[in-house]
């Protein structure tokens, strides 16, 4: 009994330490977002002498967040819709059908996941320029879809593999088509996995910088992350405004994760099934 209490105490202490380590950067960000730039440079850990709420209003106007956050939201929503739609359909076929070239497809998906996007930037940019697709958010969403789909397919496949085959056979015997089996049998069961993929892909798309700054160059097409980068000056920077802008950018993602954390954890646990 004493040994169990010691083990439980050690687990709680470890969790508290890990929580402090995880939350410390966010707490420091919040603290410095309310301080003048001079105080941040002098001592970033000190409590502010005065609360500078105007850092947030200046960050909002300087980074044009009213417009750039909307651009990021539209781009992220398009990417999530494309990845979840194509990824779930592809994962269903790969999980429930016998594919002779499955090993080759697995190697291709893994290679696509690990290949750096920098290898494809120049030919992609040349092709986009020839087709007049620069500053086109829909075209960029397709690039994101190509980059993130291999990961989504590999993850979603494990969810489809976990569905008992008897459910599919029973639906087919009752006269359901393959599309009806996918729509009414599989999708409700694997919805936690699709939500997990949507959250992860949304996070990647929201924070992505390299592709966005390459293909979205117009001032009316900038994403929030790119506009945040432009806040930093060449010779000097207002760190209070920059911290406030960073907090504004991460707030939607943190809020969304807190609201959906239970489903997210359930989805990650379900995705641990080996196929």
């Amino acid at each position: 009994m004493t040994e169990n209490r010691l083990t439980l105490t050690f687990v709680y202490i470890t969790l508290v330490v890990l929580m402090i380590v995880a939350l410390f950067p966010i707490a420091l960000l919040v603290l410095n977002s309310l301080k003048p730039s001079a105080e941040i440079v002098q001592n970033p850990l000190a409590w502010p002498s005065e609360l500078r709420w105007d850092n947030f209003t200046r960050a909002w106007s300087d980074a044009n967040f009213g417009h750039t956050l909307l651009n990021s939201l539209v781009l992220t929503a398009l990417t999530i819709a494309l990845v979840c739609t194509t990824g779930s359909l592809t994962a269903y076929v790969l999980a429930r059908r016998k594919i002779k070239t499955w090993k080759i497809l697995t190697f291709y998906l893994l290679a696509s996941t690990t290949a750096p996007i920098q290898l494809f930037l120049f030919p992609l940019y040349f092709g986009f320029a020839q087709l007049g697709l620069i500053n086109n958010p829909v075209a960029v969403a397709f690039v994101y879809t190509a980059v993130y789909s291999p990961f989504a397919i590999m993850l979603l496949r494990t969810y489809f593999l976990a569905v008992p085959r008897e459910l599919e056979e029973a639906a087919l015997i009752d006269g359901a088509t393959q599309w009806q089996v996918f729509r009414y049998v599989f999708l409700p069961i694997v919805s936690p996995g699709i939500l997990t993929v949507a959250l992860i892909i949304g996070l990647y798309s929201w924070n992505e910088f390299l592709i966005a700054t390459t293909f979205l160059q117009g001032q009316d097409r900038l994403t929030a992350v790119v506009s945040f980068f432009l806040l930093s000056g060449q010779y000097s920077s207002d760190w209070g405004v920059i911290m406030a802008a960073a907090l504004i950018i991460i707030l939607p993602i943190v809020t969304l994760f807190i609201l959906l954390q239970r489903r997210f954890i359930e989805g990650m646990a379900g995705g641990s099934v080996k196929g």
Side-chain angles (χ1 to χ4, degrees), residues 136-244:
N136 189 323
V138 177
V140 175
F142 274 98
V143 176
Y144 285 171
T145 302
V147 173
Y148 302 139
S149 284
F151 163 78
I153 292 170
M154 296 295 291
L155 181 59
L156 287 174
R157 181 176 177 271
T158 62
Y159 290 95
F160 284 105
L161 286 173
V163 179
R165 189 170 292 274
E166 290 78 8
L167 293 177
E168 180 182 8
E169 294 173 351
L172 292 174
I173 291 174
D174 290 339
T177 64
Q178 288 293 341
W179 170 252
Q180 290 173 329
V181 171
F182 171 78
R183 171 66 180 84
Y184 297 107
V185 177
F186 280 90
L187 279 188
I189 298 175
V190 303
S191 59
I194 296 177
L195 176 61
T196 301
V197 169
L199 286 173
I200 296 174
I201 298 305
L203 178 63
Y204 287 168
S205 303
W206 187 268
N207 292 330
E208 202 283 324
F209 175 80
L210 183 60
I211 298 175
T213 193
T214 301
F215 296 103
L216 300 175
Q217 300 175 356
Q219 290 295 324
D220 60 332
R221 298 296 186 183
L222 295 181
T223 61
V225 172
V226 177
S227 64
F228 168 76
F229 172 77
L230 297 177
L231 285 177
S232 180
Q234 183 176 1
Y235 302 105
S236 63
S237 301
D238 191 329
W239 292 108
V241 173
I242 291 176
M243 296 293 178

Side-chain angles (χ1 to χ4, degrees), residues 3-274:
E3 184 178 352
N4 291 336
R5 288 182 178 178
L6 289 175
T7 302
L8 189 61
T9 302
F10 175 76
V11 170
Y12 280 136
I13 293 175
T14 303
L15 290 175
V16 170
V17 172
L18 292 176
M19 183 185 67
I20 293 174
V21 171
L23 294 180
F24 177 76
I26 298 178
L28 192 62
L29 178 64
V30 174
L31 178 66
N32 287 311
S33 67
L34 297 171
K35 295 165 62 175
S37 181
E39 291 186 16
I40 298 175
V41 175
Q42 184 178 4
N43 186 359
L45 299 177
W47 191 259
S49 59
E50 59 173 331
L51 298 181
R52 295 289 299 272
W53 297 103
D54 62 306
N55 285 342
F56 291 92
T57 57
R58 291 168 58 197
W60 185 273
S61 60
D62 292 350
N64 194 19
F65 276 143
H67 190 74
T68 58
L69 284 173
L70 180 61
N71 290 342
S72 292
L73 180 62
V74 171
L75 183 57
T76 301
L78 283 172
T79 304
I80 290 174
L82 288 170
V83 171
C84 289
T85 301
T86 59
S88 59
L89 290 170
T90 306
Y92 169 70
V93 173
L94 294 179
R96 313 307 294 195
R97 297 291 176 269
K98 293 182 179 180
I99 308 295
K100 294 182 179 180
T101 58
W102 166 240
K103 292 184 178 180
I104 298 176
L105 286 175
T106 303
F107 174 79
Y108 170 76
L109 291 174
L110 292 176
S112 301
T113 304
T114 57
I117 186 59
Q118 289 84 348
L119 294 176
F120 312 105
L121 274 184
F122 178 76
L124 275 175
Y125 186 85
F126 178 79
F128 274 41
Q130 293 296 316
L131 296 173
L133 296 177
I134 302 297
N135 291 323
N136 189 323
V138 177
V140 175
F142 274 98
V143 176
Y144 285 171
T145 302
V147 173
Y148 302 139
S149 284
F151 163 78
I153 292 170
M154 296 295 291
L155 181 59
L156 287 174
R157 181 176 177 271
T158 62
Y159 290 95
F160 284 105
L161 286 173
V163 179
R165 189 170 292 274
E166 290 78 8
L167 293 177
E168 180 182 8
E169 294 173 351
L172 292 174
I173 291 174
D174 290 339
T177 64
Q178 288 293 341
W179 170 252
Q180 290 173 329
V181 171
F182 171 78
R183 171 66 180 84
Y184 297 107
V185 177
F186 280 90
L187 279 188
I189 298 175
V190 303
S191 59
I194 296 177
L195 176 61
T196 301
V197 169
L199 286 173
I200 296 174
I201 298 305
L203 178 63
Y204 287 168
S205 303
W206 187 268
N207 292 330
E208 202 283 324
F209 175 80
L210 183 60
I211 298 175
T213 193
T214 301
F215 296 103
L216 300 175
Q217 300 175 356
Q219 290 295 324
D220 60 332
R221 298 296 186 183
L222 295 181
T223 61
V225 172
V226 177
S227 64
F228 168 76
F229 172 77
L230 297 177
L231 285 177
S232 180
Q234 183 176 1
Y235 302 105
S236 63
S237 301
D238 191 329
W239 292 108
V241 173
I242 291 176
M243 296 293 178
L247 190 60
I248 292 173
I249 290 176
I250 69 171
L251 191 59
I253 295 296
V254 173
T255 303
L256 185 63
F257 177 79
I258 291 174
L259 293 176
L260 301 176
Q261 61 176 329
R262 184 181 298 274
R263 298 293 300 274
F264 178 75
I265 294 172
E266 291 175 356
M268 292 301 291
S272 63
V273 178
K274 299 294 182 182

